[in-house]
Amino acid sequence: MKQRYFIHLSYKGTAYHGWQIQPNGISVQELLMKAFSTILRYPIDIAGAGRTDAGVHAKLMVAHIDLNEALEDVAAFIFKLNGLLPNDISVQKMLTVKANAHARFDAYSRTYDYFLISKKNPFLQDLAARVYNYLDFESMNKVAKCLLEYTDFTSFSKSNTAVKTNNCTVTQAQWVKHDDVWVFTIQANRFLRNMVRAIVGTLLQVGRGQMTEEEFRAVIEAKDRTKAGTSAPAEGLYLVNIDYPSELFL
């Protein structure tokens, strides 16, 4: 009897062409499927909660998988998985869920962090974006609150995607300093492709004094990606949490 699991994993995205299988590069999804198939000795499909772009990291990615039968020892299976996976990918948990539970469509909230540094730090190489000029984070925080007032984020979306709507409900958007690192946390029910990096890139213009709150609002209301700022570098972005209804879990 088949059993569906939610897989909790994390990865450093520097070496990968994102989460989703790509014809021109190695992806996290591809390596995870190969590891499962090697242990189970039958083909495996894995569906992720979303797709992270090349170079983007995940402190928590969730994916679902159907196994031909329930695992007798989940901890031992995860140990074998992590032995096959490279050091920059790690599975933390596998949770039994209902047969129709979906890692992508059943998620009701997702959270991203964007890490920004202003000084050279060898321990954050490829793990945070560096800026070289002064930024007014007070103004950036004030303007970031505007995001909670809008739902159509076409201006921050990659063009020509296959989504049916560009509407999202943002519930948190704030910069907080942790030691020498500024972290932008944004939470929403869903995100468009490239949305967080486009928002951060536009907020950086605010921080440099190149854009006012009124101009930031005008960017959103224009529903035109060309009006927003350049996308912030991928290495600063982390998927950090995904929330699901408790009734999905067995």
Side-chain angles (χ1 to χ4, degrees):
M1 186 175 180
K2 286 188 178 290
Q3 176 62 61
R4 179 162 290 192
Y5 288 87
F6 271 14
I7 310 161
H8 285 206
L9 67 146
S10 58
Y11 52 86
K12 178 184 177 183
T14 307
Y16 304 107
H17 284 238
W19 157 262
Q20 189 166 312
I21 290 178
Q22 303 287 334
N24 60 342
I26 299 173
S27 70
V28 177
Q29 183 185 30
E30 176 186 354
L31 294 181
L32 193 63
M33 288 170 61
K34 284 182 178 178
F36 268 95
S37 298
T38 298
I39 297 172
L40 296 169
R41 298 184 181 179
Y42 56 82
I44 283 294
D45 286 324
I46 296 175
R51 54 187 299 171
T52 54
D53 291 334
V56 174
H57 318 292
K59 292 186 177 181
L60 173 64
M61 168 61 89
V62 179
H64 74 250
I65 186 171
D66 289 321
L67 304 188
N68 288 346
E69 57 186 7
L71 298 172
E72 292 184 7
D73 189 337
V74 174
F77 187 85
I78 291 174
F79 183 81
K80 290 180 182 178
L81 271 179
N82 284 327
L84 290 174
L85 291 167
N87 290 333
D88 49 11
I89 304 175
S90 175
V91 173
Q92 281 86 43
K93 291 192 291 187
M94 291 180 61
L95 305 172
T96 54
V97 294
K98 293 180 178 179
N100 62 348
H102 199 288
R104 178 184 173 189
F105 298 125
D106 285 327
Y108 66 82
S109 175
R110 295 166 171 83
T111 306
Y112 282 89
D113 282 348
Y114 194 91
F115 285 62
L116 204 62
I117 56 174
S118 58
K119 299 178 182 178
K120 186 176 182 180
N121 186 331
F123 301 105
L124 291 176
Q125 179 70 28
D126 298 323
L127 296 173
R130 186 179 175 190
V131 291
Y132 295 87
N133 47 308
Y134 169 80
L135 294 173
D136 182 351
F137 283 95
E138 184 176 349
S139 294
M140 291 164 68
N141 262 333
K142 181 182 177 184
V143 171
K145 292 179 181 178
C146 299
L147 296 166
L148 279 64
E149 302 173 24
Y150 293 89
T151 55
D152 190 328
F153 291 100
T154 301
S155 291
F156 299 127
S157 173
K158 190 171 184 177
S159 301
N160 302 318
T161 59
V163 297
K164 295 179 180 179
T165 175
N166 287 333
N167 287 354
C168 309
T169 302
V170 177
T171 52
Q172 182 183 359
Q174 184 180 21
W175 290 93
V176 176
K177 192 175 185 182
H178 301 276
D179 297 323
D180 291 331
V181 182
W182 279 95
V183 181
F184 178 64
T185 299
I186 183 167
Q187 183 180 58
N189 64 326
R190 62 190 291 266
F191 286 92
L192 307 172
R193 285 198 64 189
N194 203 237
M195 177 174 164
V196 180
R197 290 169 58 196
I199 287 174
V200 172
T202 310
L203 286 175
L204 290 178
Q205 290 189 333
V206 175
R208 297 184 186 113
Q210 298 169 344
M211 182 179 291
T212 64
E213 179 178 337
E214 290 72 22
E215 290 169 333
F216 186 85
R217 289 180 181 273
V219 166
I220 300 174
E221 292 166 8
K223 301 177 185 179
D224 181 349
R225 178 64 184 91
T226 65
K227 303 297 183 184
T230 303
S231 295
E235 63 262 28
L237 185 59
Y238 294 73
L239 175 61
V240 297
N241 195 44
I242 307 171
D243 292 308
Y244 296 92
S246 58
E247 58 264 26
L248 295 181
F249 299 91
L250 299 178

